[in-house]
């Protein structure tokens, strides 16, 4: 079965509202009418409203980069799924390795987040991936098994295909050290096999992205791999022409 490629740019803590609008003004003529690739920008909370407004009517979707798992409460500085839904985001990225590492995001919280995002009718991107030390110690599959099975634990089998899983090896993030095609393919195929343990149909439909030093120059090769259905892009997604080059690499 053919899966629609999904290319998302994760801006991380970059871009004021003014910079975000400048980016969208640059991207719309390059990719605003692409209909054979799902395209998203993952935007800091402060620029979400502006980017939702400036991408309206185009094929560019807006995702948030984090959400709290509680519906509301005394969690200073956090936002809920309902708050983001009100802004009309299309989805939310959760479990990024930077959030796991610096903000103690746990698999236990992620299973709640993923289920709540789906319950609100939004799309989750669940990030998973091993560290350099874990790969060296041959623990990659063990790490992915825990992160994927825990993260999806509260998702009903019939909803699994609505989740996108981003495989981002930590050693490839922001380092310029991209995974080899074989490493990316093997990990993404393994992730798909974990979904197949729950539902063969869902495994056929679910999208698995690769992330980590994706650039216009390497996008076509990575995105052409059988089990890689898209990319989650950091640094190379901050410039409209560069991001559009990666989107182009995802087109058949
Ligand atoms: P880079 O593309 O900058 O390596 O970042 C990848 C990433 O973390 C996307 O979420």
């Amino acid at each position: 079965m053919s899966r629609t490629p999904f290319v998302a740019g994760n801006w991380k803590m970059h871009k004021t509202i003014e910079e975000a609008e400048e980016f969208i003004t640059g991207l719309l003529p390059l990719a605003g009418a692409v209909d054979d690739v799902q395209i998203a920008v993952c935007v800091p909370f402060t620029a979400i409203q502006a980017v939702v407004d400036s991408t309206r009517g185009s094929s560019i979707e807006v995702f948030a980069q984090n959400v709290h798992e509680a519906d509301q409460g005394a969690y200073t500085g956090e936002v809920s799924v309902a708050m983001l839904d009100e802004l009309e985001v299309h989805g939310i990225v959760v479990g990024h390795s930077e959030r796991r590492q610096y903000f103690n995001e746990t698999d236990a919280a992620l299973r709640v987040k993923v289920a709540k995002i789906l319950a609100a009718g939004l799309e989750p991107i669940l990030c998973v991936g091993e560290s350099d030390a874990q790969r060296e110690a041959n623990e990659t599959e063990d790490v992915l098994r825990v992160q994927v099975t825990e993260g999806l634990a509260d998702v009903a089998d019939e909803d699994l295909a609505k989740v996108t899983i981003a495989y981002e090896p930590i050693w490839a993030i922001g380092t310029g050290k991209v995974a080899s095609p074989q490493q990316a393919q093997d990990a993404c195929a393994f992730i798909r096999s974990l979904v197949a343990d729950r539902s063969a149909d869902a495994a056929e439909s679910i999208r698995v992205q690769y992330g980590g030093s994706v650039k216009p120059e390497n996008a076509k090769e990575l995105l052409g791999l059988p089990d890689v259905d898209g990319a989650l892009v950091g640094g190379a997604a901050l410039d409209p022409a560069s991001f559009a080059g990666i989107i182009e690499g995802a087109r058949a």
Side-chain angles (χ1 to χ4, degrees):
M1 108 159 244
S2 70
R3 297 178 286 267
T4 303
F6 182 10
V7 175
N10 176 13
W11 292 357
K12 309 190 179 183
M13 197 172 75
H14 292 282
K15 298 194 190 296
T16 62
I17 292 175
E18 189 180 342
E19 290 163 346
E21 292 193 318
E22 195 182 325
F23 175 94
I24 297 301
T25 302
L27 183 65
L28 283 176
L30 302 176
V34 169
D35 60 3
D36 51 358
V37 178
Q38 184 177 354
I39 303 169
V41 285
C42 312
V43 175
F45 293 137
T46 46
I48 286 175
Q49 184 71 70
V51 177
V52 165
D53 288 341
S54 56
T55 54
R56 211 180 290 282
S58 79
S59 55
I60 317 289
E61 296 170 353
V62 182
F63 277 56
Q65 298 176 13
N66 178 42
V67 71
H68 195 275
E69 63 271 29
D71 291 335
Q72 58 185 27
Y75 302 103
T76 301
E78 294 292 317
V79 302
S80 69
V81 170
M83 292 170 187
L84 293 171
D85 189 24
E86 193 177 38
L87 291 179
E88 300 178 69
V89 297
H90 193 89
I92 306 172
V93 177
V94 292
H96 194 281
S97 60
E98 289 149 16
R99 295 215 56 86
R100 293 179 190 259
Q101 185 180 350
Y102 305 134
F103 305 101
N104 299 320
E105 186 155 36
T106 63
D107 290 319
L110 284 165
R111 66 188 280 175
V112 181
K113 294 187 187 197
V114 171
K116 284 204 175 168
I117 292 166
L118 287 169
L122 304 179
E123 289 185 19
I125 298 178
L126 172 65
C127 303
V128 299
E130 82 287 0
S131 67
D132 205 11
Q134 289 165 330
R135 177 164 283 269
E136 288 300 313
N138 261 329
E139 291 169 1
T140 299
E141 292 196 350
D142 295 335
V143 171
L144 295 178
R145 183 180 293 106
V146 171
Q147 291 180 339
V148 171
T149 53
E150 291 277 312
L152 299 178
D154 287 349
V155 179
D157 285 357
E158 59 270 25
D159 290 334
L160 285 171
K162 297 176 188 162
V163 180
T164 295
I165 300 178
Y167 169 62
E168 298 205 307
I170 296 169
W171 46 271
I173 294 177
T175 58
K177 193 176 154 195
V178 67
S180 70
Q182 191 67 52
Q183 288 171 326
Q185 166 58 24
D186 286 352
C188 291
F190 178 70
I191 289 167
R192 194 178 307 285
S193 79
L194 295 171
V195 178
D197 291 342
R198 293 271 312 272
S199 159
D201 285 350
E204 276 296 304
S205 308
I206 198 168
R207 268 93 52 86
V208 183
Q209 297 171 320
Y210 167 78
S213 298
V214 177
K215 308 263 179 300
E217 299 75 39
N218 59 27
K220 201 169 180 63
E221 182 175 32
L222 289 162
L223 293 165
L225 297 167
D227 283 290
V228 176
D229 306 313
L232 184 57
V233 187
L238 292 173
D239 170 75
S242 166
F243 188 48
I246 294 168
I247 294 164
E248 204 50 45
R251 304 184 77 180

